[in-house]
Amino acid sequence: MAALSIRLPVELERKLMEEVTRTGQPRSQFIREALETLLAQRQRERLDAQLRDAVTALASDPQARQEALELADDFLPAENEALEGHWWR
């Protein structure tokens, strides 16, 4: 494992120590998990932004929009059939 040295504001370090004391978790483990969580969240946000951009581009293209509507119409009978007889209907 690589070692990393960081400087924290006093208040942030105090909150960190409160949390690791409360949970009994080693400080380095807590920081690793927090960093993994933040990095995963940022990756999801980037992917969401890319998806929004792609949807916006497709929605603004009349031909792509028409193709999507036609595909949805093609699948509608199969979707309705799959829903028949289930408890929520």
Side-chain angles (χ1 to χ4, degrees):
M1 240 187 250
L4 177 67
S5 175
I6 61 172
R7 296 182 192 278
L8 299 175
V10 173
E11 182 62 17
L12 183 56
E13 201 272 338
R14 182 190 64 74
K15 290 177 182 179
L16 171 63
M17 293 311 296
E18 284 178 4
E19 188 62 26
V20 297
T21 300
R22 182 179 302 114
T23 63
Q25 189 176 27
R27 185 170 59 171
S28 59
Q29 180 183 352
F30 180 86
I31 293 169
R32 271 193 304 275
E33 289 177 6
L35 186 54
E36 287 172 354
T37 300
L38 175 63
L39 293 173
Q41 176 187 344
R42 292 215 176 151
Q43 181 179 17
R44 278 191 309 274
E45 289 170 356
R46 280 192 298 276
L47 291 173
D48 287 348
Q50 290 174 342
L51 182 58
R52 279 191 306 275
D53 291 347
V55 167
T56 300
L58 284 173
S60 65
D61 179 344
Q63 183 178 353
R65 190 171 189 279
Q66 184 60 38
E67 288 177 24
L69 291 172
E70 290 170 4
L71 279 172
D73 284 342
D74 290 346
F75 280 96
L76 188 58
E79 291 172 355
N80 287 337
E81 183 180 326
L83 291 173
E84 287 178 10
H86 286 82
W87 63 268
W88 59 80
R89 289 206 55 139

